[in-house]
Amino acid sequence: MEKKFQLDKKILITLMIVLGILILILGIYFFFVPRFRVQSFSSKVEVSYNEEFNYQSGKVCYGTFFHCEEVEIKEEGTVDTSKLGSYQVTYVFEHQSKTFSKEQEVLVVDNEKPVISIEGEEPLTYCANGIGYGYKVTATDNYDGDLTDKVVSKVENEKIHFEVVDSSGNKSVLEKNGILKDEEKPVITLNGESSVFVPLNGVYEEKNASAYDNCDGDLTVNITLEGTVDTTKAGDYMLTYKVLDSNNNEASVVRHVYVYQSSDYPSLEGKNIYLTFDDGPGAYTSKLLDVLKKYNVKATFFVTDQNLTKGYDDVLKRAYDEGHTIGLHTSSHNYGYIYSSVDAYFNDLYAIQDKVKRITGFAPMILRFPGGSSNTISKSADGGTHIMSQLTKAVQAKGFRYFDWNVDSKDASGAKNAAQVASNVINSLGNKNTYVVLQHDIKEYSVDAVETIIQFGLSHGYTFQALKMDSPRVEHTVNN
Ligand code: ZN
């Protein structure tokens, strides 16, 4: 027992001696062996985006604890601060042909916040749904550039908070005083026209409308439609489109649907308009036929075969095929010839009748005298024979029916544009049974007035008719 203790004591003493020697060696090494000493060196440093990077400086020396000399430092590796990322830099220390190196990681980071700016007076306005309006927000960042699209705003306690985060996670917030204000009505836009014309027993196609609100955005699905259209009964049907926004601002828009009796259902009851076009067909007759077709309106064409109407045989055929009445207006329209004698007149009349028959297969018996039956121009050609008195009787004796007019569009005597032609016609309409309108389809502005005249007529209870042999007689007083 005691012997064993003595043995353990020996071991302990030996260990202590060995330890003492080790400490002594370490001490000698620390105090007497020369080495590199670097003070305050970081193995990882950060530098801001686009700022200058300065290599680590600090005191580095070589020597023993008692004597140390400054050493030369060389840096290896570059840092590009215009690009975010991690860069490796190596510091090499040299002295007395001894070298030593240390690695350093340099992080180029973006730590600058974006800048939010608001253009607008406080308090800023916002909608009931929390969406602000009436001001302009922009956000820019030193690294990401324009961040306006990334700005998030919310309303809390009558304040609007704006927040934006850049791609490096730097967050900016801004708070402005706000006020709830939504007095603007939604805007309803009709699809299709606000006046729609549908022939009796025709088809009305509801095209609906769209609605947009400054606060609520698209409100189309919330539109309600009041009113119905009965296409089996002529009349003016009013459709009302209404919508409310989230602040109960109401908007409404009206569409009129005019269901009218078209020329396909001729009735001499009520108010009838007979559109008549002299001196064609010509360059604008096709355009006119398109308009008439659009409204299913039938008209009457008193045609000639003057130089300016040549080359429009196909247009004449089209007018006939589409159900318009083709009437005769003499072939030459030459007052000096046609009113020189009864024979001359009929020669000319039969020439145009033959031509129409050749083109359409039908020989018209309806006519209009150039200048009308009341014209006095004929006096200078007839040698005092009172030609109009003779012709008005002669044409009827041969079974023809002539028509004058009781509404002058003045498209050949004063009116200079479509608006004037249309108002001359519209202002002449009243509550009479029969209105025969004089126009000329060789004048473009007169043709351009037709749609306005038709829309006015259809929306005011008139029926458009084409002249027939048994249409009510509209004849002037014969003055020669
Ligand atoms: Zn004429």
Side-chain angles (χ1 to χ4, degrees), residues 41-42 82 103 131 139 157 169 190 227 253 276 332 384:
F41 181 88
S42 307
S82 71
E103 299 284 319
I131 291 175
N157 303 323
L190 291 178
V253 166
T276 70
S332 70

Side-chain angles (χ1 to χ4, degrees), residues 278-280 302 304 306 329 333 335 368-372 438 440 442:
D278 290 7
D279 299 1
F302 290 108
T304 68
Q306 312 167 72
H329 196 43
H333 204 278
Y335 287 80
R368 173 171 286 158
F369 294 108
L438 172 67
H440 298 81
I442 50 169

Side-chain angles (χ1 to χ4, degrees), residues 188-208:
I188 300 179
T189 310
L190 291 178
N191 300 329
E193 303 293 315
S194 59
S195 291
V196 176
F197 298 86
V198 182
L200 193 64
N201 296 323
V203 177
Y204 170 64
E205 188 198 341
E206 179 54 58
K207 289 186 175 163
N208 297 310

Side-chain angles (χ1 to χ4, degrees), residues 4-16:
K4 197 178 178 196
F5 172 75
Q6 279 188 345
L7 189 67
D8 288 348
K9 204 172 171 182
K10 272 185 187 172
I11 291 169
L12 193 66
I13 290 166
T14 309
L15 278 174
M16 283 176 73

